Amino acid sequence: MSKIGLFVGSTTGKTEDVADTIQKEFGGKSVVTIHNIADTEDSEFEEYQYIIIGCPTWDIGELQSDWEGYFPQLDDIDFSGKKVAYFGTGDQIGYNDNFQDAMGILEEKITERGGTTVGYWSTEGYDFNESKALRDGKFVGLALDEDNQSNLTDKRIKAWVGQLKTEFGV
């Protein structure tokens, strides 16, 4: 079994592509197993001490549809003792008043259920007004903008995964 479970929802494929890149950067399937949240059973979260959550912000500050459908089930999961990292895709120009809100919504719920957030990410280099994903001036996870800053994605993933390897201790 891999050490890290990555749970992702994706509508257009961008967030799923990011999940694949994160898996490769960690060293492949032997380290990170990707789970599509639409097909996930609650018990699958129990298999991992280290979890990565990936969700795009959809419409105006909403969860992606698969995550929206799964969201009530998070109330039945105990994340105590688990380190949880987050990444999101969003558009900081077109939706600058709710950039990465989905990541913040999920982080808040999972923290309420006992999860410990790791992988905080600097807001430097982003141009937005508001976000539910901010805690103490940082994003709760890796913020990616494939619409306006796709040229920075690989560099950001590489740096973030390096940070997570330390925080996860893998």
Side-chain angles (χ1 to χ4, degrees):
M1 182 177 79
S2 65
K3 298 177 186 210
I4 302 166
L6 192 161
F7 296 84
V8 65
S10 187
T11 300
T12 65
K14 290 178 188 175
T15 310
E16 189 175 18
D17 289 345
V18 170
D20 290 339
T21 303
I22 289 170
Q23 182 186 55
K24 288 177 188 145
E25 191 63 35
F26 263 106
K29 294 177 182 178
S30 65
V31 182
V32 176
T33 299
I34 296 174
H35 301 266
N36 183 327
I37 197 64
D39 303 323
T40 296
E41 299 292 327
D42 294 356
S43 61
E44 291 178 89
F45 284 99
E46 296 171 16
E47 298 173 20
Y48 303 98
Q49 181 181 355
Y50 308 116
I51 295 171
I52 300 173
I53 303 290
C55 183
T57 298
W58 207 247
D59 293 325
I60 302 175
E62 302 294 322
L63 294 172
Q64 181 266 348
S65 61
D66 296 330
W67 271 111
E68 184 177 39
Y70 193 86
F71 191 76
Q73 290 175 246
L74 291 173
D75 286 330
D76 300 328
I77 300 170
D78 182 5
F79 287 94
S80 298
K82 298 184 184 298
K83 291 184 178 182
V84 187
Y86 303 83
F87 73 92
T89 53
D91 177 351
Q92 64 190 306
I93 306 300
Y95 298 92
N96 62 358
D97 288 332
N98 48 44
F99 181 56
Q100 299 294 340
D101 277 4
M103 187 167 55
I105 292 166
L106 288 167
E107 189 271 347
E108 182 177 37
K109 174 63 80 180
I110 291 171
T111 298
E112 287 172 3
R113 303 293 309 139
T116 300
T117 302
V118 296
Y120 288 93
W121 189 252
S122 173
T123 60
E124 188 176 326
Y126 299 89
D127 184 18
F128 66 98
N129 293 332
E130 295 180 38
S131 177
K132 290 181 181 176
L134 291 179
R135 307 284 184 271
D136 297 322
K138 289 188 169 190
F139 288 115
V140 297
L142 178 62
L144 298 171
D145 184 342
E146 290 293 278
D147 296 327
N148 303 292
Q149 294 181 327
S150 60
N151 59 315
L152 299 175
T153 296
D154 288 341
K155 178 182 171 186
R156 286 174 170 166
I157 290 172
K158 188 173 189 64
W160 188 66
V161 167
Q163 176 184 331
L164 285 184
K165 285 179 179 178
T166 300
E167 293 183 57
F168 282 163
V170 297

